[in-house]
């Protein structure tokens, strides 16, 4: 979602491998100052690289390297004017015949080992049902915190609907449901429950997406009264207009 006026201009220099640059400009926003962004993109058969530089001098980039059909490495970095605006994230994904393993490090330090480290494992029990877990370890000067989330995923026989559930022992539950009603229409729902000793809350969200020949419309509404929508109208192969809006009825 965005407000105000956003203009993006992209210029492609080659197609195989693909290389292009993009100029982005944002004006008349009620929530942020006018901004300019320059980005470049390179895509080959097994490599993806993207970098951007904004008007404040912040540099960011991300890459994906596919070593084989089973192993992929990804990375993201950001360099800002201060330490709290700089970040690094590296992850590796291994896909087996009926399982998936992912290891991720966020802002790792080779000096004292601080940072956030995430490991996840997903195992297919049948062609429809998969179970797994994700463990997060955060290390810092004051010690370390460890937490585990348990996951379940069920896919329909025709792969036209997916239901998922995530549970944390501290009292957090998140469920989601997605279904493809037709080649043009998709719907989804999400429910987040917090039943911790110091806090109890719940948020439900429903959304839909319509794809037409030259346009795409997305809309969602949640139980807090927030309604948002986005319309993308493609006027030509290289020219499109985006319209977005959001309203909070409870504020």
């Amino acid at each position: 979602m965005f407000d105000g006026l956003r203009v993006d201009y992209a210029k492609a220099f080659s197609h195989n491998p693909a290389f292009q640059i993009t100029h982005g400009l944002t004006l008349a926003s009620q929530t942020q100052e006018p901004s300019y962004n320059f980005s470049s993109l390179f895509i080959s058969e097994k490599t993806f690289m993207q970098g951007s530089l904004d008007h404040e001098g912040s540099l960011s980039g991300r890459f994906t390297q596919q070593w084989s059909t089973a192993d992929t490495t990804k990375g993201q970095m950001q360099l800002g004017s201060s330490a709290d605006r700089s970040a690094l994230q590296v992850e590796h994904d291994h896909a087996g015949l009926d399982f998936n393993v992912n290891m991720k490090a966020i802002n790792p330090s080779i000096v004292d080992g601080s940072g956030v480290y995430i490991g996840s494992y997903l195992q297919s029990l049948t062609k429809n049902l998969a179970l797994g877990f994700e463990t997060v370890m955060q290390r810092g000067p004051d010690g370390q915190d460890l937490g585990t989330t348990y996951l379940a995923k069920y896919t329909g026989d025709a792969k036209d609907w997916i239901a998922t559930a995530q549970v944390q022992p501290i009292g957090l539950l998140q469920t989601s449901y997605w279904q493809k009603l037709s080649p043009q229409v998709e719907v989804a729902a999400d429910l987040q429950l917090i039943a911790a000793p110091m806090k109890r809350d719940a948020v439900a969200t429903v959304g839909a997406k319509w794809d037409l020949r030259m346009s795409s419309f997305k809309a969602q509404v949640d139980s807090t009264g927030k309604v948002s929508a986005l319309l993308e109208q493609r006027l030509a192969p290289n020219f499109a207009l985006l319209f977005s809006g959001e309203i909070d009825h409870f504020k």
Side-chain angles (χ1 to χ4, degrees), residues 204-223:
T205 305
V206 293
K209 176 185 176 183
W210 291 267
D211 287 325
L212 303 176
R213 188 175 66 89
M214 296 292 290
S215 62
S216 177
F217 180 73
K218 303 176 184 177
Q220 72 174 41
V221 58
D222 63 29
S223 57

Side-chain angles (χ1 to χ4, degrees), residues 192-244:
Q192 299 182 32
L193 296 176
I194 301 177
M198 301 298 295
K199 182 180 181 181
R200 292 181 179 271
D201 194 10
V203 177
T205 305
V206 293
K209 176 185 176 183
W210 291 267
D211 287 325
L212 303 176
R213 188 175 66 89
M214 296 292 290
S215 62
S216 177
F217 180 73
K218 303 176 184 177
Q220 72 174 41
V221 58
D222 63 29
S223 57
T224 66
K226 185 179 295 184
V227 181
S228 58
L230 185 144
L231 172 64
E232 179 180 0
Q233 179 67 50
R234 186 162 296 279
L235 304 179
N238 297 320
F239 183 70
L241 291 177
L242 287 175
F243 301 92
S244 70

